[in-house]
């Protein structure tokens, strides 16, 4: 990685950890913060994730493990509530780079795409619907809500990404690093206990 990419990754990592930005927006804001042209090549997400881990180790080593554990416990609550939809946790909370500013991303694999929405309505949960890019590059619905995290003393964004049941097979393939990109309820509980 050249010096410019390294600097972008470092600046993006700070924005991810301190402001809870996702990698894409953090990289674009890092360009602006560094006064670089919009066409400057951006580091890949692996480089940003490595920078995030370094940043956490340097500046958040005393607080981040507790915050991560609290977010994982809140994710378990929502995954248990939505167990009928084969929930899988992804993102920073799954990969271990989440801080109190991070949102929780749970992917639901439904036989009927509207069934999860109906379940939220039945439980009188307020949520917003938006479209996001899914893990295969396709557009999927995201049901976004805020949930109180008693351990952190604040509300946390929870995003439920709706996939077809058949997408589950492809969802479990290891990423470029050989890691599981997401985990089911028993896997998340095992992370909490470890």
């Amino acid at each position: 990685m050249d010096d410019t990419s390294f600097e972008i990754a470092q600046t993006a990592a700070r924005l991810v950890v301190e402001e809870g930005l996702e990698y894409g927006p953090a990289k674009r804001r890092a360009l602006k913060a560094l006064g670089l042209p919009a066409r400057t090549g951006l580091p890949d997400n692996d480089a940003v994730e490595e920078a995030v881990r370094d940043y956490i180790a340097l500046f958040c080593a005393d607080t981040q493990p507790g915050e991560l554990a609290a977010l994982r416990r809140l994710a378990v609550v929502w995954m248990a509530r939505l167990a009928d939809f084969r929930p899988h946790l992804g993102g920073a909370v799954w990969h271990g780079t989440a801080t109190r500013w991070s949102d929780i991303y749970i992917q639901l694999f439904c036989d009927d795409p509207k069934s999860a929405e109906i379940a939220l309505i039945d439980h009188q949960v307020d949520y917003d619907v938006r479209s996001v890019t899914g893990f295969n590059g396709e557009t999927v619905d995201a049901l976004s809500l805020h949930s109180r995290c008693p351990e952190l003393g604040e509300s946390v964004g929870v995003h439920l990404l709706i996939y077809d049941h058949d997408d589950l097979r492809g969802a479990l393939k290891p990423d470029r690093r050989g890691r599981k990109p997401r985990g089911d309820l028993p896997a998340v509980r095992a992370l909490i206990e470890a």
Side-chain angles (χ1 to χ4, degrees):
M1 183 166 34
D2 64 27
D3 290 344
T4 303
S5 290
F6 180 79
E7 195 170 358
I8 294 167
Q10 296 298 312
T11 303
R14 180 181 54 77
L15 294 167
V16 167
V17 174
E18 292 181 2
E19 297 183 27
L21 291 181
E22 296 301 315
Y23 288 4
K27 287 188 276 189
R28 289 188 294 279
R29 256 191 55 201
L31 278 182
K32 286 183 184 179
L34 296 169
L36 296 169
R39 293 183 179 233
T40 303
L42 297 173
D44 64 16
N45 287 346
D46 288 341
V48 175
E49 183 177 337
E50 187 177 321
V52 166
R53 289 186 187 282
D54 290 345
Y55 191 94
I56 288 170
L58 282 173
F59 300 108
C60 308
D62 55 338
T63 58
Q64 190 266 348
E67 294 170 358
L68 174 63
L71 291 170
R72 284 179 172 166
R73 283 190 280 274
L74 182 60
V76 163
V77 168
W78 280 99
M79 292 173 79
R81 285 180 187 165
L82 299 165
D84 291 345
F85 308 109
R86 296 168 278 287
H88 282 69
L89 179 65
V93 178
W94 168 250
H95 288 297
T97 57
T99 65
R100 72 183 313 109
W101 308 114
S102 302
D103 286 353
I104 297 170
Y105 290 88
I106 300 172
Q107 297 155 354
L108 304 178
F109 297 90
C110 307
D111 295 321
D112 173 9
K114 291 294 179 190
S115 57
E117 203 168 339
I118 291 168
L120 292 179
I121 292 168
D122 287 347
H123 289 93
Q124 300 176 338
V125 174
D126 290 329
Y127 64 92
D128 293 316
V129 181
R130 58 192 177 100
S131 294
V132 298
T133 303
F135 59 79
N136 288 327
E138 79 287 10
T139 301
V140 298
D141 284 340
L143 312 177
S144 297
L145 55 103
H146 283 78
S147 182
R148 183 93 178 130
C149 183
E151 292 178 65
L152 297 178
E154 58 195 52
S155 288
V156 173
V158 178
H159 307 282
L160 309 171
L161 285 67
I162 309 299
Y163 291 92
D164 187 77
H165 176 262
D166 293 339
D167 292 330
L168 185 56
R169 271 182 284 150
L172 301 178
K173 291 181 184 174
D175 65 13
R176 292 187 303 206
R177 294 178 164 181
R179 303 177 304 179
K180 284 184 154 185
R182 55 198 52 81
D184 61 8
L185 186 55
V188 178
R189 284 184 171 141
L191 282 178
I192 292 169
E193 292 171 8

